[in-house]
Amino acid sequence: MIHTAQHGLRKLAAIAFIPVFALLLSACNTITPQGGTEEEVTAELTVSPAAAKAGKPVSLISKIKGLKKLIDVELYYELKKDGTGKPKLIKVEGQIEGRFIGKWEPEEPGMYDVIIHIINPDIHVIVRKEMTVEA
């Protein structure tokens, strides 16, 4: 009789664990308090002036999509020439009407990988873009 009671308790514990396990698995894709999942969050990249030139200041402008609120959002640009060498990291200070603007002066012409890091207390999303800097 004792053996049967222990077996029943084990079964009950296993059954009770299933919803908890399902909840933990679903947490990987939950909506953040700011309104989006990591899969939904993206960023556009616009360069001003449109034709970036070496030795001339450039504005890197991003608009984030997939978040309803832009509270506590930090945005960084990581720039790497031809995908090699030491990256340049630019922290964007604040945003204006949903647009994050970073200033940069490219030293050399070439193709640059632009990695946009979108960070808030709930997520860290990385968006990859490319841009060309002319001579």
Side-chain angles (χ1 to χ4, degrees):
M1 193 90 169
I2 295 172
H3 178 68
T4 307
Q6 287 177 346
H7 181 69
L9 285 174
R10 281 190 219 148
K11 229 182 201 182
L12 183 61
I15 291 170
F17 182 71
I18 291 172
V20 172
F21 185 68
L23 182 64
L24 288 173
L25 283 177
S26 68
C28 295
N29 207 17
T30 56
I31 294 177
T32 68
Q34 296 186 1
T37 64
E38 287 188 21
E39 292 79 19
E40 295 171 335
V41 177
T42 62
E44 298 172 349
L45 175 66
T46 308
V47 180
S48 179
K53 296 189 186 248
K56 304 282 182 185
V58 173
S59 292
L60 304 170
I61 306 162
S62 288
K63 186 162 179 109
I64 298 174
K65 294 183 177 184
L67 290 177
K68 292 180 184 170
K69 299 177 186 173
L70 297 175
I71 300 168
D72 295 329
V73 173
E74 293 181 23
L75 190 132
Y76 295 85
Y77 292 107
E78 181 181 343
L79 300 125
K80 213 176 207 187
K81 184 175 184 277
D82 299 322
T84 61
K86 186 177 177 186
K88 169 82 174 165
L89 192 64
I90 299 168
K91 180 180 181 182
V92 176
E93 300 294 335
Q95 49 102 5
I96 301 167
E97 296 177 5
R99 295 178 348 176
F100 293 81
I101 303 170
K103 303 290 183 184
W104 175 54
E105 189 171 312
E107 295 174 9
E108 300 176 13
M111 181 65 76
Y112 284 80
D113 293 324
V114 181
I115 302 165
I116 305 167
H117 295 266
I118 305 162
I119 304 168
N120 75 19
D122 301 310
I123 62 170
H124 179 178
V125 176
I126 296 172
V127 179
R128 297 180 187 277
K129 304 287 183 179
E130 289 184 341
M131 70 175 282
T132 302
V133 174
E134 300 172 354

